[in-house]
Amino acid sequence: MIRLLSHKEYDTTFKSPMLVVTATAQPVVDIWPYVNLLVQNRVVSPHVLHSELVACVYRNGDATYDHVLLPTDSEHRFIVVLVDINQATIYGYYLLDLAQEYGIE
């Protein structure tokens, strides 16, 4: 089952420093079956699933969550799949709009 996280729930997964681990992280769980559910619910493009596209992976400072950013049609918008490292499960997903949240143009 997919779960859209609230902004508050998403914020609880942050802990400084947020480290880019895209090239080095070993997957704790296979996110692609979850991404397939996101495709079925029209949250993620089928192209992202079929090409297994990941824009970036961030790990929070206490190594409890990975933020897996999936690309969208917009340069500053991402679908973030939150992986709970300790539980080896997917916590949910969040619609991240960098322009709206951080003023990035």
Side-chain angles (χ1 to χ4, degrees):
M1 172 161 59
I2 63 172
R3 179 171 177 243
L4 175 60
L5 300 173
S6 69
H7 188 270
K8 183 177 179 180
E9 290 171 314
Y10 176 69
D11 274 350
T12 65
T13 66
F14 280 89
K15 172 76 174 173
S16 290
M18 294 295 289
L19 303 172
V20 176
V21 295
T22 310
T24 59
Q26 294 297 315
V28 174
V29 345
D30 181 5
I31 67 164
W32 300 110
Y34 189 83
V35 174
N36 184 48
L37 293 173
L38 293 174
V39 168
Q40 291 174 22
N41 284 272
R42 299 178 188 205
V43 175
V44 171
S45 159
H47 175 67
V48 171
L49 172 65
H50 298 306
S51 300
E52 294 188 352
L53 298 177
V54 172
C56 195
V57 179
Y58 291 92
R59 180 162 291 159
N60 70 0
D62 55 7
T64 54
Y65 286 95
D66 279 345
H67 292 214
V68 182
L69 279 66
L70 305 177
T72 67
D73 291 337
S74 174
E75 179 182 4
H76 299 299
R77 288 189 190 134
F78 298 91
I79 305 301
V80 184
V81 175
L82 283 291
V83 176
D84 182 326
I85 295 170
N86 293 330
Q87 298 296 317
T89 60
I90 295 176
Y91 179 50
Y93 77 98
Y94 182 73
L95 306 172
L96 176 62
D97 185 332
L98 295 176
Q100 181 179 351
E101 292 196 33
Y102 301 105
I104 296 173
E105 301 281 334

